[in-house]
Amino acid sequence: MRFETRAIHIGEEPNFQPGGSGDVTTPIHLASTFARRRVEEPTGGYEYSRSGNPTREALERRLAALEEAHFGLAFSSGSAAQLVLLLTLLRSGEHLIAFDDLYGGTRRLFSHIFSRVLSVDVSYVDARQPANVQAAIQKNTRLIWVESPTNPLLRLCDITALATIAHSQALKLVVDNTFMSPYFQRPLLLGADVVMHSTTKYINGHSDSVGGALMLSDRELYQRLKFNQNASGAILSPFDSYLTLRGSKTLAVRMPQHQENALKIANWLSHHPKIKAVYYPGLADHPQHSLATQQMSGYGGMISCDLQADRDSTARFLAQLKIFALAESLGGVESLIEYPALMTHASIPQAEREKIGIHDSLIRLSIGIENVEDLIDDLKQALQLL
């Protein structure tokens, strides 16, 4: 099956078995526990909904199919997926290498939980250069963690090159693929060991469910992750599993429109006198445009840019917008805009933010699927205040 067909049918095949009803959508199985006739035989393999739920498992099959993985796991949030993965792969005293440009919540988890509480050492490097990752490897390194493109500066890393480095040292490479979705990029095919998503974003696509996912093809690691997920209780609810199944059906329809709108807006912003810089891999002058065309089949719907503005005037610009909602998150059908320094990346100390390139003039846009001229008109009228 091709991607568009997998996104609709995998996990929701009609049940024509005796007692089946032929549903064309997977029912929401709200039961917390499952009765059995014989003590040694769980009915249908289900015992307790934390350990396994038919609706969640339907979604997990879909997630695996979208990333061309053997296994998928659905979690209560992207942060929960990260936590279970890190607890599975790392021990106290071990070392993690991470891209220095990451979602603020990821850095918060690394720096405040794993470094301070669990004594895991974290090195942040500019992973745009594979040599920087190679140089950061220590005897106790176990894992390389990257986003590509990054949040919020849309920087890329060469996933295949990093996979080669990781595997030469018996390390795991994890790629957060949230910004691209499986429609535009599949890191497992480029050599990554585990792909992580906040399904809250593009996979669900409608800003009405919080969830996370891990996709992988290593059976032994999958079994360890599933055990730890069950033990920790970091599961996605049946209703959120249903919403994500429903949302994922239109992923292949939504993503091209996100990209078409984003490319037009990025080009328009790049010629506006009130904009200092635009960060979007689809622009020919993006410093990693060539790499983007090699390892991605599209450029996505996320744009960041630096305004010709200070903090106060940036705040006035944001307050003036009518269609763009000033809100965290991304990947929904509606357009969102946020201010990383005071919102998604506020937990990172200012000096570190500035060193990475997250300045007080930086804004991040999640381009929706509205009429693009309406979106440009909204930005145009708000930029007049600068």
Side-chain angles (χ1 to χ4, degrees):
M1 289 185 189
R2 292 168 177 82
F3 187 93
E4 295 83 353
T5 308
R6 297 198 306 271
I8 292 171
H9 289 285
I10 297 297
E12 299 200 73
E13 301 86 350
N15 180 3
F16 296 122
Q17 297 300 316
S21 57
D23 306 71
V24 296
T25 59
T26 294
I28 306 172
H29 291 264
L30 296 175
S32 60
T33 192
F34 301 89
R36 61 182 77 183
R37 290 186 180 276
R38 296 180 180 86
V39 68
E40 70 277 8
E41 294 181 14
T43 304
Y46 299 106
E47 301 174 345
Y48 187 64
S49 217
R50 172 165 45 79
S51 304
N53 175 279
T55 313
R56 189 169 77 248
E57 289 188 4
L59 173 62
E60 290 172 338
R61 290 182 56 215
R62 169 85 47 84
L63 294 171
L66 293 180
E67 280 286 1
E68 298 191 47
H70 292 162
F71 309 105
L73 287 167
F75 294 81
S76 52
S77 67
S79 296
Q82 292 176 334
L83 181 63
V84 170
L85 178 60
L86 291 166
L87 288 172
T88 302
L89 294 179
L90 294 171
R91 298 291 181 269
S92 179
E94 293 182 337
H95 177 241
L96 159 70
I97 299 170
F99 211 143
D100 59 1
D101 183 22
L102 290 176
Y103 166 55
T106 302
R107 284 191 65 132
R108 181 171 58 234
L109 180 66
F110 290 172
S111 299
H112 293 269
I113 303 298
F114 280 84
S115 289
R116 296 183 184 179
V117 178
L118 300 177
S119 300
V120 170
D121 187 24
V122 182
S123 295
Y124 295 103
V125 302
D126 185 346
R128 288 176 293 181
Q129 299 298 325
N132 294 339
V133 176
Q134 179 75 62
I137 296 174
Q138 304 173 10
K139 290 183 179 180
N140 61 339
T141 305
R142 298 292 178 266
L143 176 65
I144 300 170
W145 187 291
V146 296
E147 297 172 5
S148 187
T150 58
N151 182 0
L153 293 170
L154 283 300
R155 293 169 176 169
L156 279 65
C157 60
D158 187 329
I159 296 172
T160 299
L162 293 188
T164 300
I165 291 170
H167 298 155
S168 71
Q169 302 292 324
L171 310 179
K172 298 292 187 186
L173 173 64
V174 178
V175 178
D176 183 338
N177 197 30
T178 298
F179 266 27
M180 281 296 101
S181 90
Y183 183 79
F184 282 135
Q185 179 172 260
R186 274 158 253 167
L188 292 178
L189 302 185
L190 299 171
D193 297 288
V194 183
V195 173
M196 176 261 164
H197 282 273
S198 170
T199 58
T200 311
K201 314 306 193 295
Y202 286 111
I203 290 178
N204 178 58
H206 292 80
S207 301
D208 57 8
S209 170
V210 173
L214 299 175
M215 293 85 126
L216 67 161
S217 292
D218 182 329
R219 179 178 295 275
E220 187 274 334
L221 178 55
Y222 164 74
Q223 290 173 340
R224 289 165 57 199
L225 288 166
K226 189 166 179 62
F227 178 89
N228 288 340
Q229 181 191 38
N230 180 46
S232 63
I235 57 165
L236 191 65
S237 74
F239 186 68
D240 285 302
S241 296
Y242 160 77
L243 288 174
T244 308
L245 273 167
R246 186 178 66 170
S248 65
K249 291 180 180 180
T250 59
L251 183 63
V253 179
R254 289 183 280 110
M255 294 308 295
Q257 191 62 53
H258 285 296
Q259 175 182 246
E260 181 180 332
N261 284 358
L263 187 57
K264 290 179 180 178
I265 290 172
N267 274 302
W268 179 81
L269 287 170
S270 67
H271 292 92
H272 197 285
K274 301 294 181 66
I275 304 295
K276 286 192 291 187
V278 178
Y279 310 106
Y280 182 67
L283 292 177
D285 61 357
H286 186 283
Q288 294 177 292
H289 178 71
S290 177
L291 176 60
T293 62
Q294 291 173 31
Q295 69 182 20
M296 293 147 44
S297 61
Y299 308 110
M302 298 301 299
I303 303 171
S304 288
C305 60
D306 275 308
L307 306 178
Q308 298 276 10
D310 56 20
R311 179 175 291 200
D312 289 341
S313 54
T314 298
R316 288 196 298 273
F317 159 76
L318 293 169
Q320 183 66 19
L321 292 163
K322 310 300 182 186
I323 298 175
F324 281 85
L326 178 57
E328 297 190 4
S329 197
L330 58 103
V333 293
E334 64 287 308
S335 293
L336 304 176
I337 193 167
E338 67 101 6
Y339 192 20
L342 293 181
M343 296 172 70
T344 55
H345 293 69
S347 62
I348 302 173
Q350 183 175 356
E352 291 185 35
R353 289 200 308 268
E354 293 284 343
K355 182 180 178 181
I356 297 166
I358 303 174
H359 305 296
D360 283 351
S361 59
L362 183 75
I363 58 171
R364 191 195 73 186
L365 302 89
S366 174
I367 306 301
I369 63 173
E370 303 96 335
N371 183 285
V372 69
E373 297 303 326
D374 288 334
L375 297 176
I376 290 174
D377 286 346
D378 194 29
L379 293 168
K380 184 185 299 183
Q381 60 86 22
L383 284 168
Q384 292 176 351
L385 292 179
L386 297 183

